[in-house]
Amino acid sequence: KAGVTQTPRYLIKTRGQQVTLSCSPISGHRSVSWYQQTPGQGLQFLFEYFSETQRNKGNFPGRFSGRQFSNSRSEMNVSTLELGDSALYLCASSRWGDRATNEKLFFGSGTQLSVL
Amino acid sequence: AQSVTQLGSHVSVSEGALVLLRCNYSSSVPPYLFWYVQYPNQGLQLLLKYTTGATLVKGINGFEAEFKKSETSFHLTKPSAHMSDAAEYFCAVSDLLTGGGNKLTFGTGTQLKVEL
């Protein structure tokens, strides 16, 4: 069974540009979450999608957005990139997004975004 | 607001020695607690999770953690460290106040080094 796949693995952009990151969840998983990981701020929750609807959102500016397609694949977009957006962006998927059960959350290897 | 504190950003143990990684949480309602491990250039892998029930939780790779409500702690232990345990470990918390789904609040991580 394939794991969570994130593309691209590495990305270099310049300030002011926009970027789109892609995440394919494990087959059968309907919940997709996004996290930002930086050395200074650690791991921070961006948002979660379930059945094409945003179910939860973290404390990030509106420049960060996402969406989920009918096949559960998800994309996140960052517009008007800033130097501080340089980070590892991790995608995670689970079947129902029910952390109260034994359901597991599976992470991808991430997309390393560098903003110059 | 919920939070997680991991004491010690770096922990070093000898191979075969006890591993103890500390995690204290803050939550106004019963929490769900997690330990994740991250190897270099990889995403996070779930070691174990506590939802309800038995306070001693056994995970993968010989790790276990005990939920102590009175101490608001969820320390991770392993009786005998192996070289392959060298990685970064994250404690995370979630609760019903954050809404449904997979919104986790992570600690800042503990880098475990295992020496011969």
Side-chain angles (χ1 to χ4, degrees):
Chain A
K1 199 173 188 181
V4 178
T5 304
Q6 292 188 247
T7 56
R9 184 72 178 90
Y10 300 94
L11 205 50
I12 300 175
K13 292 286 187 179
T14 56
R15 279 183 301 172
Q17 287 187 309
Q18 75 165 14
V19 67
T20 299
L21 312 182
S22 179
C23 172
S24 293
I26 291 173
S27 177
H29 286 192
R30 294 168 62 184
S31 167
V32 175
S33 305
W34 288 89
Y35 285 83
Q36 181 196 65
Q37 185 176 23
T38 61
Q41 299 298 318
L43 281 152
Q44 294 185 286
F45 174 81
L46 281 156
F47 28 65
E48 178 186 5
Y49 287 86
F50 182 81
S51 293
E52 302 179 65
T53 300
Q54 188 179 85
R55 181 156 66 177
N56 220 330
K57 190 177 188 304
N59 297 323
F60 279 81
R63 299 185 297 107
F64 291 82
S65 63
R67 59 178 176 169
Q68 186 180 32
F69 302 96
S70 58
N71 62 357
S72 294
R73 190 177 71 85
S74 177
E75 290 181 346
M76 69 162 282
N77 184 277
V78 188
S79 62
T80 320
L81 284 166
E82 300 177 359
L83 295 179
D85 296 333
S86 294
L88 179 66
Y89 290 88
L90 292 166
C91 169
S93 77
S94 68
R95 189 170 295 277
W96 302 109
D98 187 354
R99 67 264 156 86
T101 67
N102 288 325
E103 180 181 286
K104 286 186 177 181
L105 183 64
F106 293 86
F107 281 80
S109 297
T111 293
Q112 183 67 55
L113 172 65
S114 297
V115 182
L116 305 178
Chain B
Q2 59 188 324
S3 65
V4 174
T5 301
Q6 290 185 242
L7 294 175
S9 58
H10 291 81
V11 170
S12 184
V13 300
S14 300
E15 191 174 35
L18 171 72
V19 175
L20 170 61
L21 304 182
R22 300 178 185 274
C23 172
N24 288 87
Y25 69 91
S26 170
S27 176
S28 57
V29 297
Y32 305 117
L33 295 160
F34 310 78
W35 274 101
Y36 284 87
V37 61
Q38 186 176 33
Y39 297 98
N41 300 314
Q42 293 186 29
L44 281 72
Q45 180 183 11
L46 179 68
L47 283 175
L48 49 83
K49 67 188 284 188
Y50 168 80
T51 54
T52 59
T55 56
L56 182 62
V57 182
K58 294 186 184 299
I60 62 171
N61 302 338
F63 285 95
E64 63 181 37
E66 186 172 9
F67 170 61
K68 291 188 176 181
K69 184 179 178 180
S70 61
E71 299 177 8
T72 61
S73 69
F74 191 58
H75 301 331
L76 182 70
T77 60
K78 182 174 180 178
S80 177
H82 191 272
M83 295 297 289
S84 61
D85 294 327
E88 189 155 23
Y89 292 79
F90 293 92
C91 182
V93 65
S94 180
D95 62 43
L96 290 176
L97 291 182
T98 63
N102 288 314
K103 182 178 182 180
L104 304 180
T105 298
F106 284 89
T108 51
T110 298
Q111 187 70 46
L112 176 66
K113 182 178 179 181
V114 182
E115 299 174 317
L116 286 171

